[in-house]
């Protein structure tokens, strides 16, 4: 798990979410400006088309009409595609612009995992030390019992020696 959190942390550092958010913000601003410019250009083009129809003889208008309709169809298709792309961009932008950067949380996770591993190591060492202490306590009890047995034997020897001497 530590490797995963560590690699995720490194990935998000390289990804640089804050820089991406700044870039998306700048792009959204440019997009809004271009939309305004496009709307003004479209209105101007409509006015020019009206003027063309007013000031051009009918036979020329009939000759040019299929070409103008083709251009209008292509412009409408491009406008539709542009709006769809802009809408998709703005949907992604809205979701990403306020997302908090996970890097600090992931770095904290890595630090906590390191501490957890150290804690586990200390618990393992503590368990081994307890086992060693139990072994030493058993040995001490055995030595103490041997010492008491030795003391009783000495007492018995002194008692027998005293009894033998007094006889």
């Amino acid at each position: 798990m530590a490797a995963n959190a560590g690699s995720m942390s490194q990935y998000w550092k390289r990804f640089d979410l804050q820089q991406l958010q700044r870039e998306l913000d700048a792009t959204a601003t440019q997009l809004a400006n271009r939309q305004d410019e496009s709307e003004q250009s479209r209105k101007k083009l409509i006015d020019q088309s009206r003027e063309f129809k007013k000031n051009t003889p009918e036979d020329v208008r009939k000759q040019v009409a299929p070409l103008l309709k083709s251009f209008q169809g292509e412009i409408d298709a491009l406008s539709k595609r542009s709006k769809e792309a802009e809408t998709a961009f703005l949907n992604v932008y809205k979701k990403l612009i306020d997302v908090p950067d996970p890097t600090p949380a992931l770095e904290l996770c890595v630090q906590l995992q390191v501490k957890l591993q150290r804690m586990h190591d200390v618990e393992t060492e503590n368990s081994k030390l307890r086992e060693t202490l139990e072994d030493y306590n058993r040995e001490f009890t055995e030595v103490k019992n041997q010492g008491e047995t030795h003391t009783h034997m000495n007492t018995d020897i002194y008692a027998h020696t005293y009894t033998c001497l007094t006889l």
Side-chain angles (χ1 to χ4, degrees):
M1 181 74 175
N4 290 339
S7 62
M8 287 175 54
S9 177
Q10 291 302 313
Y11 171 82
W12 280 101
K13 279 182 186 178
R14 287 187 308 271
F15 185 78
D16 197 0
L17 180 63
Q18 292 175 344
Q19 178 62 30
L20 175 65
Q21 288 170 327
R22 285 189 292 271
E23 290 170 5
L24 289 173
D25 213 18
T27 302
T29 301
Q30 291 172 351
L31 188 60
N33 291 338
R34 286 187 197 135
Q35 285 174 336
D36 291 341
E37 291 170 4
S38 181
E39 187 60 35
Q40 290 172 2
S41 293
R42 185 174 170 87
K43 286 178 183 179
K44 185 177 177 183
L45 190 57
I46 289 171
D47 289 341
Q48 287 175 341
S49 292
R50 285 185 186 143
E51 282 296 315
F52 176 76
K53 286 179 183 179
K54 268 194 226 176
N55 299 330
T56 307
E58 178 138 356
D59 62 326
V60 173
R61 279 188 300 191
K62 284 183 180 182
Q63 289 177 347
V64 177
L67 180 62
L68 289 177
K69 285 191 187 253
S70 270
F71 272 109
Q72 184 60 46
E74 190 61 30
I75 288 171
D76 289 345
L78 289 171
S79 293
K80 182 179 178 184
R81 191 177 88 194
S82 176
K83 279 194 185 272
E84 289 171 354
E86 290 167 359
T87 299
F89 169 80
L90 290 173
N91 286 337
V92 171
Y93 170 75
K94 287 175 187 174
K95 290 180 180 181
L96 288 178
I97 197 62
D98 293 324
V99 170
D101 188 353
T103 304
L106 289 169
E107 287 175 347
L108 179 61
C109 183
V110 170
Q111 291 171 1
L112 290 174
Q113 286 176 333
V114 168
K115 287 181 181 181
L116 181 65
Q117 183 60 45
R118 285 185 196 147
M119 187 189 222
H120 177 70
D121 293 347
V122 166
E123 286 175 355
T124 302
E125 183 179 357
N126 190 13
S127 176
K128 288 178 183 176
L129 288 173
R130 285 178 193 256
E131 288 175 13
T132 303
L133 181 61
E134 286 176 14
D135 290 344
Y136 287 155
N137 282 336
R138 276 193 290 276
E139 284 181 37
F140 177 73
T141 301
E142 287 176 19
V143 169
K144 184 178 173 186
N145 287 340
Q146 288 175 359
E148 289 176 6
T149 301
H150 187 268
T151 303
H152 288 314
M153 290 173 93
N154 279 341
T155 304
D156 288 346
I157 290 173
Y158 286 129
H160 286 300
T161 304
Y162 181 72
T163 304
C164 285
L165 288 176
T166 54
L167 287 176

